[in-house]
Amino acid sequence: MKLLRRIVALFRRSSIDREIDEELQAHIAMRAEDNVAAGMSPDAAARDARLRFGNPTVVRERTEHVDFALGIDSIWRDIRYAIRGYRNAPIFAIVAITTLALGIGANTAIFQLLNEVRLRSLPVANPEELVDIRIIGGNHGMGISDTRYSSLTRPLWQEIERSHEPLSGVFAWTSNFQNMQTGLTANDIRPVRSINVSSDFFNVLGVAPFAGRFLGPEDAASACTSSNAVVSYSWWQSQMGGRPITAAESVVLDGTQYRIVGVAPARFFGLAVGESFDFVTPLCIPPNVQREHFDVAVMGRLAPGWTSDRATQWFTSASKGFFETALPQGYSSNTTELFRNFKLGAFPAAAGVSNLRDSYDSSLWILLGITGLVLLIACANLANLMLARASARQREVALRMALGATRARLLRQLLIESSLLAITGALLGVGLAQLFSRLLIRALTTGNDSLTLTVHTDWRVLLFAAAVAILTCAVFGTLPAFRASKADPIHALKSGDGHASSRRERFSLQRIMVVVQVAVSMVLLVTALLFVRSFRNLMTVDPGMRERGITIGYIDFHNSKIDPARIEDFKRQLISEVRAVPGVTNVATTSMIPLNGGSWGHGVDVGPKEGNSRFTWVSPTYFQTMEISIVSGRGFNDNDIQSSPRVAIVNKAFIRTFLDGQNPLGKTVRTKAEPRYPSTLFEIVGVIPDTKYNDLRGAPEPMVFVPAMQFPIEANVPGAGVVISSTLPSSVLGEDIKRVLASSHPEIRTRFFELQQQIRNNLLRERLLAILSGFFGALAAILVMVGLYGVVSYLVTRRRNELGIRIALGSTRARIISLVMSEAGRMLLLGTLIGAMISLAATRGASSLLFGLKSWDPVTIALAVASLATVSALASFLPAFRAAALNPVEALRRE
Amino acid sequence: MAKNDLQGTLELLILKTLAQNSSLHGYGIVLHIQRVSGDLLRVEEGSLYPALHRMEQSQWVRSQWALTETNRRAKFYSLTLAGRKQLAVAEKSWEQTVKGVQAVMKFA
């Protein structure tokens, strides 16, 4: 209450004055009344009362002083004083505030992203009750997995839907890209993101429609034929103009017509953080559902009284029945047994799921660390500035102390000055962070892989910014303030110049700060160089195949209604048509596009050895198109067909793993049985070198290539991936091919993109880390240069006298320069040593993000030392040169 | 030796006065001290208010605006619990001071 009154009093200072006045006047009046009662005349009574009281103004001021001495009012006065001071030195204030705003802004921006992908809960009702039902330890690569979020099969979902005691509600969902019809012909399509959901999806999540209605059980019943759909708010706004939902609104996705019945609220982005959706459609479970297809995710809401641990226990014990009922047919006995022994668990899912989180989590923490260190360096520079300012104000401080200001009082004044800078910097920084985080999100968004992330400035972000501001304030404000308030007033007042006192001490403080700066920037430079070199390694790594001038195409011809037995022939016909397009040098089909994510493997028996290998079905021209050489044996040809013996080409890693370096030609590989892929015996007829598989980072793994014509007919799907080598850019070539194919097969759909572009997109994280850490590393170096320059210049000014004497006594300019520079050199040496040790420890955590080099890379450390040495040589040479150019007569006369 | 000074004495007098009267305004305190001391002690009225406000900052006394018996608005002061404790401390310290001073005076 008292504090509140004082704060109020701040704005009504006169009312406090009035209150005291009134109290004193009442006193005088009462005395006068008593005097009159005692028989005095009114005039005499009043005079006597005033005489006894003394000067009312003085009393009032003394009383006021008691009330305000250490109160808020004087803080306000200090703040006004500080602002006046900064107004007199605007450059200092601008530099300090800009530095802080940029530093705090960068830190807050990265924290904001971290908050978004990691800390925030889903925008649904009571997100902490949500659990994700998954197989504990994953499915060991069994079956076919579609996206990274889907971990269960549809039959398993049906079992869970039937029996889920710990959960009050449960739903299945899967997200994918579908083709939306945009024009009259089949190939007029655009990819849209849709979420297929079971009927309780919105109900369990507790999300209410923005307009219209959501999907319910009646929609699930007709999910596979024709049904209803919900659109996202952004789709409704951008594509439908936000008009009311009527019965006439419909959309065709992958050939199925959906009537639009509702709009989701704007804040609902689905369950995957960093992604968005355009449509929500009912999940179709066909009668002949593929039981080895792990393509749905299941989430539920814990019933009252259940925890995720207890729910896991329940699901684990119920798993046996679930998996027995959902057992896929056609697997080898080992795999079947594996499936039977899977156990389900319930995992907390309040923050949803996120590929973004998985791939960027550690990078963001590293970036946060980097920006934090840069801020630390900037703070050290600011502290130096503050010190310089404090020493210039030494006389003022000394005068105030001589006039009776206490140390606490002065300390408070100085701390108020620095926290004023920190607060202004933090406020601007939070504003800048909005800009920075949006720029970062834009940088993370690649062509076809859109990233939808709305950044919020919630209490966590504000708390973080406040904490950073307080910390910076402590670093750059406290030390100089303590230092200044320790001044000896008599000494400071006596000596004419402003910076006479405690000279030695302050000096070593500045030196310590330079050493810390050098050490920290050493860490930053090592980190930056590691990421840059790692990225360079990735960019120059040889994948073992051609990547330039390769166009990737996906051809979907399920509308052509080709008999499964004739699909390979049809593909052959298609690629001969593509081959005839001008500009195409070579073309081949493949079941698996290289270096593009995804994977396809089978269990194999090679003689006595058992294991897993990648399998790719390719047409004969694949190796020529991708420029992969056959090192021994033969490639595939048109005689390798369904009716001829099964043949295979393996890579060297396969030979190393399964054949111990024996001659592989003539050896056989038997695959393990899987649904629609019966166990098959292949004879090895050729060998290729090791090539990268789905990712540039990966180590070579065993690979088997098999002729496309020998693909199991029962597994055939009406679609093909093609690789095309050409001199034309993919965009041009893609359009040409589309035109050619559209005339002969108007019903097929195609999509083309450039392989190299795709590879670059997949290196986005590495590129971002390299660019940002490189930028911050360079920034750190510049900051250190500025700091070192300031300190060395100061040092030269301090030693002016001594240097003048040295020159007068015949010291050469070269010796003066080396004298000054060796001073800087010592600080550099110490800082570098400390920094090198810290960076050895610090970068160990980043080794999983590095490619082709260890975290203790000697070349990197040498490079960092070299660049720091260059920087500090530059920073100290100018002051040293100036020192050498001193006119001794002038230098000596000044003192 | 007990610490005591002029200011401490004034505070002691105010504390004691407020302990004997539940609530008094500044002028009332002056009158009370004057009357009880048989006109021996006259509080310097100008020093009273800074002392009262200081004691309020230390939370020994609290204040409240009220009407006097002559219907005049005045600020009434009363003792807090902390004030009561402070009074005990100050009384003890005062006794020792008196003893000490007397011992010095009687030394002949």
Side-chain angles (χ1 to χ4, degrees):
Chain A
M1 269 328 276
K2 195 164 229 130
L3 186 71
L4 193 72
R5 212 193 67 192
R6 283 195 193 177
I7 292 171
V8 172
L10 255 188
F11 302 100
R12 301 186 303 128
R13 169 128 198 219
S14 56
S15 90
I16 286 277
D17 285 353
R18 250 202 322 276
E19 199 182 319
I20 294 172
D21 243 355
E22 199 182 338
E23 187 180 10
L24 304 183
Q25 289 308 325
H27 181 109
I28 295 172
M30 281 188 279
R31 168 70 78 188
E33 275 167 22
D34 284 355
N35 283 348
V36 170
M40 284 195 200
S41 73
D43 276 357
R47 195 175 332 110
D48 176 71
R50 271 204 302 278
L51 276 175
R52 281 169 183 256
F53 197 78
N55 185 341
T57 313
V58 171
V59 174
R60 196 190 71 209
E61 276 178 359
R62 278 172 58 199
T63 315
E64 237 174 61
H65 181 72
V66 171
D67 277 4
F68 289 124
L70 275 168
I72 284 191
D73 181 77
S74 60
I75 291 186
W76 180 234
R77 216 174 310 158
D78 283 356
I79 292 174
R80 276 193 310 230
Y81 181 77
I83 293 175
R84 255 203 319 276
Y86 288 138
R87 216 180 277 156
N88 288 337
I91 302 287
F92 169 78
I94 289 171
V95 167
I97 290 175
T98 315
T99 311
L100 285 172
L102 288 174
I104 294 176
N107 276 282
T108 310
I110 289 172
F111 180 79
Q112 235 174 354
L113 286 191
L114 259 175
N115 182 33
E116 221 50 58
V117 301
R118 194 188 165 84
L119 304 174
R120 274 177 74 86
S121 296
L122 288 174
V124 301
N126 304 325
E128 68 286 349
E129 291 171 4
L130 285 183
V131 287
D132 192 19
I133 310 294
R134 296 196 295 265
I135 298 168
I136 298 170
N139 69 354
H140 298 273
M142 183 186 167
I144 301 164
S145 299
D146 267 0
T147 71
R148 292 196 40 202
Y149 305 134
S150 54
S151 49
L152 298 180
T153 66
R154 292 180 201 219
L156 272 171
W157 149 242
Q158 288 174 313
E159 289 308 304
I160 297 172
E161 191 182 22
R162 257 192 285 279
S163 161
H164 52 264
E165 196 185 311
L167 307 175
S168 62
V170 65
F171 63 85
W173 67 283
T174 176
S175 78
N176 52 15
F177 280 102
Q178 288 189 300
N179 288 316
M180 187 183 83
Q181 203 75 39
T182 57
L184 292 175
T185 72
N187 214 5
D188 288 336
I189 47 172
R190 64 177 273 194
V192 291
R193 209 181 252 277
S194 64
I195 308 180
N196 311 135
V197 302
S198 65
S199 56
D200 259 355
F201 180 76
F202 288 111
N203 234 339
V204 175
L205 286 177
V207 176
F210 176 81
R213 67 169 180 89
F214 277 164
L215 304 175
E218 67 279 11
D219 300 302
S222 61
C224 301
T225 48
S226 78
S227 191
N228 297 327
V230 167
V231 293
S232 72
Y233 183 84
S234 64
W235 180 274
W236 181 59
Q237 284 290 321
S238 61
Q239 306 296 317
M240 297 169 64
R243 59 180 180 264
I245 302 294
T246 64
E249 303 285 357
S250 70
V251 63
V252 177
L253 301 179
D254 283 345
T256 306
Q257 180 151 4
Y258 292 92
R259 208 165 64 81
I260 292 167
V261 294
V263 181
R267 66 194 165 87
F268 183 68
F269 53 78
L271 298 169
V273 176
E275 293 170 22
S276 61
F277 68 95
D278 301 311
F279 297 98
V280 179
T281 56
L283 181 73
C284 156
I285 301 180
N288 57 340
V289 59
Q290 290 188 356
R291 303 172 76 84
E292 75 282 11
H293 227 121
F294 291 80
D295 62 351
V296 294
V298 175
M299 280 194 189
R301 189 176 282 283
L302 288 172
W306 285 84
T307 63
S308 61
D309 284 343
R310 283 190 51 221
T312 296
Q313 281 170 16
W314 188 91
F315 275 108
T316 304
S317 54
S319 291
K320 199 163 176 55
F322 289 176
F323 285 99
E324 192 62 50
T325 320
L327 202 64
Q329 300 302 316
Y331 273 109
S332 65
S333 58
N334 279 352
T335 314
T336 309
E337 207 46 40
L338 178 73
F339 187 86
R340 276 203 178 98
N341 288 325
F342 282 151
K343 296 277 179 271
L344 289 176
F347 300 88
V353 292
S354 180
N355 279 336
L356 189 72
R357 184 183 316 157
D358 299 345
S359 49
Y360 282 101
D361 194 27
S362 50
S363 317
L364 283 174
W365 284 111
I366 288 174
L367 278 179
L368 192 62
I370 288 176
T371 49
L373 289 180
V374 170
L375 185 60
L376 188 68
I377 296 182
C379 275
N381 270 0
L382 279 187
N384 262 336
L385 269 180
M386 292 291 269
L387 270 179
R389 198 173 124 91
S391 63
R393 286 170 60 183
Q394 197 83 64
R395 274 175 75 86
E396 177 207 325
V397 171
L399 197 63
R400 295 179 65 159
M401 284 180 101
L403 288 178
T406 61
R407 179 151 300 149
R409 189 72 185 65
L410 277 174
L411 200 60
R412 199 183 72 183
Q413 167 78 45
L414 293 168
L415 283 180
I416 280 178
E417 286 182 7
S418 49
S419 51
L420 205 63
L421 289 181
I423 290 170
T424 318
L427 286 179
L428 287 174
V430 170
L432 275 177
Q434 311 306 316
L435 182 72
F436 290 162
S437 54
R438 279 166 182 78
L439 281 176
L440 256 177
I441 290 177
R442 186 172 294 179
L444 286 171
T445 309
T446 52
N448 50 4
D449 200 13
S450 80
L451 174 79
T452 317
L453 205 58
T454 342
V455 286
H456 298 81
T457 309
D458 59 6
W459 61 269
R460 280 199 205 92
V461 174
L462 292 178
L463 199 70
F464 175 84
V468 171
I470 290 170
L471 228 74
T472 53
C473 184
V475 171
F476 81 80
T478 316
L479 265 177
F482 269 105
R483 189 81 12 183
S485 67
K486 250 192 193 165
D488 170 11
I490 299 175
H491 192 89
L493 281 175
K494 232 179 356 193
S495 71
D497 60 358
H499 26 52
S501 69
S502 55
R503 180 184 303 175
R504 288 190 62 82
E505 216 180 336
R506 181 160 56 242
F507 238 105
S508 60
L509 187 74
Q510 278 177 322
R511 281 184 199 185
I512 288 171
M513 278 197 300
V514 167
V515 170
V516 169
Q517 275 185 315
V518 170
V520 171
S521 67
M522 175 75 188
V523 176
L524 287 175
L525 279 174
V526 168
T527 317
L529 284 167
L530 279 178
F531 285 131
V532 170
R533 280 164 49 81
S534 158
F535 181 61
R536 208 180 127 261
N537 284 350
L538 274 173
M539 288 302 278
T540 52
V541 70
D542 179 15
M545 67 185 99
R546 174 171 172 170
E547 43 180 328
R548 288 173 65 100
I550 294 285
T551 299
I552 303 297
Y554 285 109
I555 304 180
D556 170 5
F557 48 87
H558 83 265
N559 281 339
S560 308
K561 311 275 184 245
I562 307 287
D563 170 25
R566 281 205 55 252
I567 279 182
E568 288 304 332
D569 290 326
F570 185 72
K571 283 199 222 171
R572 199 138 68 149
Q573 184 191 334
L574 281 180
I575 64 166
S576 69
E577 284 173 36
V578 170
R579 179 74 182 80
V581 172
V584 172
T585 342
N586 230 324
V587 59
T589 68
T590 172
S591 59
M592 157 79 202
I593 305 291
L595 302 175
N596 201 23
S599 66
W600 188 320
H602 287 283
V604 289
D605 287 307
V606 186
K609 290 206 176 183
E610 204 178 344
N612 278 291
S613 172
R614 307 296 188 189
F615 268 73
T616 311
W617 280 264
V618 296
S619 66
T621 46
Y622 180 79
F623 300 104
Q624 277 159 274
T625 311
M626 297 308 291
E627 291 175 7
I628 299 169
S629 57
I630 309 284
V631 289
S632 65
R634 66 170 177 93
F636 298 139
N637 57 44
D638 289 341
N639 298 325
D640 298 317
I641 52 173
Q642 277 292 345
S643 53
S644 64
R646 298 288 184 267
V647 291
I649 291 174
V650 298
N651 70 350
K652 292 198 162 157
F654 186 93
I655 300 171
R656 281 197 301 276
T657 311
F658 293 108
L659 293 165
D660 300 321
Q662 308 165 45
N663 178 14
L665 299 181
K667 295 276 189 307
T668 56
V669 179
R670 177 172 286 284
T671 59
K672 293 190 189 296
E674 275 180 46
R676 293 174 293 124
Y677 296 86
S679 175
T680 311
L681 191 70
F682 295 94
E683 184 194 334
I684 298 172
V685 296
V687 177
I688 58 163
D690 284 336
T691 59
K692 298 281 177 184
Y693 183 58
N694 55 5
D695 178 39
L696 281 179
R697 281 159 284 230
E701 40 192 335
M703 280 190 237
V704 176
F705 287 86
V706 184
M709 290 301 284
Q710 298 184 344
F711 193 76
I713 288 171
E714 57 270 47
N716 242 336
V717 288
V722 293
V723 288
I724 307 157
S725 68
S726 165
T727 49
L728 290 176
S730 297
S731 50
V732 176
L733 188 68
E735 287 310 308
D736 290 351
I737 297 173
K738 263 182 193 171
R739 233 186 340 270
V740 168
L741 291 182
S743 60
S744 53
H745 313 278
E747 77 289 350
I748 71 170
R749 299 185 182 134
T750 51
R751 190 159 71 83
F752 296 94
F753 58 88
E754 195 188 342
L755 178 64
Q756 202 170 24
Q757 187 57 47
Q758 191 65 27
I759 294 172
R760 295 229 170 110
N761 286 349
N762 289 340
L763 294 180
L764 182 65
R765 183 182 70 186
E766 281 73 10
R767 190 171 65 216
L768 208 68
L769 264 182
I771 290 175
L772 287 179
S773 66
F775 170 75
F776 285 122
L779 192 63
I782 291 171
L783 285 172
V784 164
M785 192 149 91
V786 171
L788 198 64
Y789 172 80
V791 170
V792 174
S793 302
Y794 190 59
L795 196 119
V796 167
T797 323
R798 302 299 326 156
R799 293 175 67 180
R800 208 188 169 89
N801 213 5
E802 174 212 331
L803 293 172
I805 292 173
R806 280 174 188 269
I807 294 173
L809 291 179
S811 185
T812 62
R813 304 232 180 265
R815 286 190 60 172
I816 296 289
I817 290 179
S818 78
L819 186 75
V820 174
M821 288 187 68
S822 68
E823 185 82 43
R826 273 200 293 280
M827 293 190 267
L828 174 76
L829 198 69
L830 192 60
T832 312
L833 270 177
I834 298 172
M837 282 188 287
I838 298 175
S839 43
L840 280 184
T843 52
R844 203 178 307 156
S847 50
S848 68
L849 291 169
L850 298 177
F851 176 80
L853 71 169
K854 293 273 189 293
S855 61
W856 42 272
D857 184 47
V859 180
T860 301
I861 291 178
L863 277 173
V865 171
S867 42
L868 265 183
T870 316
V871 159
S872 34
L874 278 175
S876 50
F877 182 74
L878 203 62
F881 185 75
R882 238 190 275 131
L886 264 180
N887 181 344
V889 179
E890 238 170 57
L892 287 172
R893 200 193 297 150
R894 269 178 64 113
E895 194 80 351
Chain B
M1 150 159 187
K3 181 175 175 274
N4 216 314
D5 51 33
L6 236 64
Q7 189 183 317
T9 313
L10 178 58
E11 281 173 3
L12 172 63
L13 291 177
I14 297 173
L15 286 172
K16 192 71 190 171
T17 305
L18 289 178
Q20 289 157 353
N21 306 269
S22 62
S23 139
L24 274 179
H25 46 70
Y27 180 61
I29 295 172
V30 172
L31 287 186
H32 177 89
I33 293 173
Q34 199 175 333
R35 197 180 64 239
V36 171
S37 70
D39 263 356
L40 281 177
L41 290 178
R42 282 196 183 198
V43 177
E44 196 192 321
E45 296 176 23
S47 309
L48 177 70
Y49 288 93
L52 272 172
H53 281 241
R54 191 162 43 241
M55 288 164 75
E56 192 177 2
Q57 297 278 335
S58 314
Q59 306 203 335
W60 296 341
V61 300
R62 71 173 79 87
S63 68
Q64 199 175 7
W65 284 92
L67 289 180
T68 66
E69 51 273 42
T70 57
N71 253 354
R72 177 177 292 286
R73 246 169 71 79
K75 207 172 177 187
F76 282 76
Y77 293 87
S78 55
L79 215 54
T80 63
L81 203 66
R84 244 169 245 291
K85 280 183 194 147
Q86 175 61 28
L87 174 61
V89 173
E91 266 180 319
K92 186 147 212 137
S93 150
W94 172 250
E95 274 163 26
Q96 283 182 351
T97 306
V98 170
K99 261 188 218 158
V101 172
Q102 274 177 349
V104 172
M105 292 316 224
K106 281 178 184 157
F107 186 79

